Amino acid sequence: MHVKGHYFPKASSNYQECVASISDTHIDIKHDEYIITRHAITELNLNSGMAGLADELSFTDGSRFIPLDVNYRWPFKSNNHQIMERLEKSKWAILAAVILTPLFMWLALYKAVPAIAVYSIDTLPHNVINQMGEQSFTVIKKLALDDSELPVEQQTKIQQHFNTMLEQLSLDKSIYRLSFYKSEHFGANAFALPHGRIVITDELVNLLVDQPNALKAVLLHEIGHIVHQHSVRITAQSAASTIVLAVIFGDLEGIAEVALGTGASFAQQGFSRDMEREADSFALTQLEYLGYSSNDFADAIETLQYSHTSENEHLKKVNNLLEYLSSHPSAQERIDNARE
Ligand SMILES: [Zn+2]
């Protein structure tokens, strides 16, 4: 049997047009009937085997022979080789690739990238987090916060409680800061910004006016969100995924927007239930450590819950409160957990 092709001597890209003639035991590479080289069939290596590519032969001395006909297949294929080719042609293999590729993309985008983002936040310089926090604080203030109408003495008293807790927990006062605002939008609520600012509404202070320890429990819960960097984590995750998407689809201009705009994304999304549980358990542990009772935390949740089932005149407050409670694990679950 004769096969026309190109013969490449060892480590050379200069080829010779040759004919390979195959016998039972040997293969001869000939040029004008002159035998250039002879190899035993048992010493051959088959290289390519890809559909649409020529079946390349390589010899033990490093030289190669490539048939001119790309569809030509040598009669002495190895098993391994056939499996490869069968896979190439298999509809199932193609189907699997079609399904697995998007799945892989999805995993990379929504699982791997956010996971990497979470690990990388520890290396974020504090001034980046600071900017992120101040930026979203400015936006939230504009949209939903008004100046506090609480008497100064009342504010000072709560600030003192807050500072005492920080001292006892060895937390940095220049990072953890408490601000009071009146907010029709948030109603009785408190939230923590990534860089350490905690906002508490007049409505919440008034609701818990007779339960100072319950108010401390709420503050500890918010401190827990900051200690565990929950908002930084959420922001980093959504920013990282958006940036990867922008790179994939070539929308590089969008990246600047993402980097600047996602600061407030945690405020829109809210924390995950796991994060809420983490903040709850921080609050419970620290209450105990500071000599208060985890019942204070349960009282806080109970009061919040009760206020939203009370009179109709507070309907507006109710709606806001429902919003507050909806992002948190079920109130009863949290009360039970604290009372345990
Ligand atoms: Zn929370």
Side-chain angles (χ1 to χ4, degrees), residues 39-58:
H39 295 279
I41 301 257
T42 52
E43 289 172 2
L44 297 174
N45 271 317
L46 283 158
N47 285 2
S48 146
M50 303 276 269
L53 287 180
D55 219 357
E56 183 180 316
L57 270 189
S58 57

Side-chain angles (χ1 to χ4, degrees), residues 184-187 189 316-324:
E184 271 183 44
H185 178 83
F186 290 117
N189 216 328
K316 193 160 194 186
K317 204 192 255 177
V318 169
N319 288 333
N320 293 331
L321 202 69
L322 279 174
E323 245 170 71
Y324 172 80

Side-chain angles (χ1 to χ4, degrees), residues 142-158:
K142 219 181 225 173
L143 293 176
L145 303 179
D146 298 309
D147 291 342
S148 173
E149 289 169 5
L150 293 174
V152 180
E153 316 85 71
Q154 198 178 3
Q155 289 188 32
T156 314
K157 203 171 160 196
I158 297 168

Side-chain angles (χ1 to χ4, degrees), residues 272-278 280-281 284 294 297-299 301-302 305 325-340:
S272 74
R273 287 191 155 220
D274 283 342
M275 289 175 172
E276 292 304 342
R277 287 201 184 94
E278 207 170 20
D280 278 3
S281 103
L284 293 174
S294 44
F297 184 79
D299 291 344
I301 304 290
E302 228 162 36
Q305 199 189 22
L325 290 170
S326 66
S327 73
H328 288 70
S330 96
Q332 197 52 52
E333 179 191 331
R334 301 173 79 195
I335 294 166
D336 293 345
N337 185 35
R339 299 252 187 250
E340 246 171 41

